[in-house]
Amino acid sequence: MRPNLTFEQLQRWSSGIASAVSATLPEDISAHFTAGARGIIASDQVYIGLYLRDSASITIYERDPDHWNHNYDTRKYQQDPFFRRFAGSRQDFLLPLSALDKGDFHTSAYYRDFYEPSGSFDEITGVFNFDRNAAGFVTYLRRRGARPFGAEDVAMAEATAEATRLVLERLWRQWRPAGESPLSLGELSTRERQIALLLIDGGCAKTISRDLSISPGTVRNHIKTVYRKLGIHSQVELMAAARNGGRALPSLP
C-alpha cells in the first residue's frame, strides 16, 4: 500500500524533520518532530523518547511534562508490551498494537492500571536501537472515540521510518550527557536543592510553588539559578542527567 500525501503534508513533515535534526534541546527536537508527524499520521498524541535497559524510560515532551505519562516513565513502562519486546530483543521494529495483542491485552494489569484509565485506544510504536543499552521510540496514539489505526497508517509510519530514526538518533546524542559522572547538587543552596529535586520528579513552577509555599516568580528565579549552577538549560536536561548519573542524589529534607 502506497501512502498518499498532499503537498502541504509533505512540506510540514519535511520542515519538521529538518528543524528537529538541527535542534539542540531535546524538547525542541520533540516539538519539531511531532508537529510534522501529526500532519502525516493523524494522531491524538505523538510521543518520542528513549528506552533504556538499565534505567527508567524517558519521554521527551514538546512542552510541559505530561504528568499522567510521568507515571509511565517511572513505573508502568516495564508492563508495556512494546517495551517488553525491546527488552527481549536487539531488533528494531515498528508495529501496531494489534500485532502484540495475543488476546490478553485488555485483561492485563498494564491495560487495567494505565492504558484504559488514560483514555488510550490504539497505537503504532516504532523502536530503533542505538547501542546495547538504548533505543529511541516513537508512539502514535489515538484516544477513545477515534477509529483504530489502519494498514495505511502503518504504511505511512514505515515509509517515514528512516527519517524518524535520524531524529531519534539526534535526540539520543543531545540527551546523553558527556561522561557518566553522577549529577552533583552540592553547589546548590538548600532551597535550590529542594527545587531541583522537585523538577527531577516532574514538577513545574506552579506545583513547586504550591508545595513549598512560595510564589511562582520566586520559583522561576530559583530554577534559573539551578540551571546556571549545574550548567544545563532545561528541565529535560536536568531529568536526563539525574537518570543517567545514577541515584547519588540527596533526598528532600
Side-chain angles (χ1 to χ4, degrees):
M1 178 176 295
R2 297 183 60 187
N4 294 313
L5 290 175
T6 66
F7 175 77
E8 289 76 14
Q9 288 174 306
L10 281 170
Q11 187 176 46
R12 192 179 310 123
W13 168 251
S14 299
S15 176
I17 292 296
S19 298
V21 297
S22 62
T24 58
L25 295 178
E27 58 265 38
D28 290 340
I29 296 173
S30 177
H32 292 306
F33 174 81
T34 56
R38 286 196 191 94
I40 61 170
I41 302 177
S43 307
D44 293 313
Q45 186 70 48
V46 180
Y47 291 116
I48 63 172
L50 302 167
Y51 280 156
L52 305 173
R53 289 187 170 86
D54 62 1
S55 186
S57 165
I58 180 168
T59 305
I60 307 298
Y61 302 100
E62 58 205 82
R63 295 181 293 274
D64 294 331
D66 178 334
H67 291 289
W68 178 268
N69 212 58
H70 178 67
N71 191 38
Y72 176 89
D73 285 341
T74 54
R75 290 183 294 276
K76 298 299 182 183
Y77 71 94
Q78 293 177 323
Q79 300 176 4
D80 186 338
F82 290 101
F83 177 84
R84 289 183 172 182
R85 187 178 181 98
F86 154 74
S89 170
R90 296 293 195 273
Q91 298 297 314
D92 296 350
F93 62 88
L94 195 154
L95 297 168
L97 178 60
S98 59
L100 299 184
D101 184 4
K102 299 177 181 179
D104 57 355
F105 178 71
H106 288 80
T107 60
S108 67
Y110 177 71
Y111 180 84
R112 182 191 66 235
D113 298 336
F114 179 79
Y115 206 82
E116 197 276 338
S118 75
S120 302
F121 170 69
D122 196 15
E123 69 179 276
I124 299 170
T125 288
V127 173
F128 304 88
N129 286 271
F130 303 138
D131 58 30
R132 63 178 181 81
N133 180 56
F137 73 82
V138 58
T139 293
Y140 302 97
L141 187 72
R142 285 180 180 169
R143 307 287 186 188
R144 272 196 304 271
R147 65 178 178 84
F149 285 109
E152 70 280 5
D153 299 307
V154 176
M156 184 67 73
E158 291 173 343
T160 55
E162 286 306 310
T164 300
R165 171 187 273 280
L166 288 176
V167 171
L168 294 174
E169 287 177 343
R170 174 69 173 177
L171 178 66
W172 171 233
R173 291 194 299 271
Q174 296 304 108
W175 176 88
R176 183 176 53 184
E180 299 294 330
S181 59
L183 178 67
S184 172
L185 304 185
E187 296 185 5
L188 304 182
S189 70
T190 299
R191 178 64 86 191
E192 291 163 357
R193 190 161 57 251
Q194 286 178 314
I195 289 172
L197 290 168
L198 289 169
L199 287 169
I200 289 168
D201 197 41
C204 62
K206 183 176 180 180
T207 60
I208 293 172
S209 168
R210 185 170 60 247
D211 290 342
L212 299 181
S213 299
I214 56 179
S215 73
T218 299
V219 172
R220 283 189 284 270
N221 287 335
H222 281 308
I223 290 173
K224 291 178 183 178
T225 302
V226 167
Y227 291 168
R228 177 178 56 78
K229 287 185 176 181
L230 296 180
I232 60 178
H233 303 89
S234 70
Q235 183 177 12
V236 168
E237 286 187 62
L238 177 61
M239 295 170 74
R243 291 181 180 184
N244 192 70
R247 302 304 179 192
L249 299 173
S251 59
L252 282 170

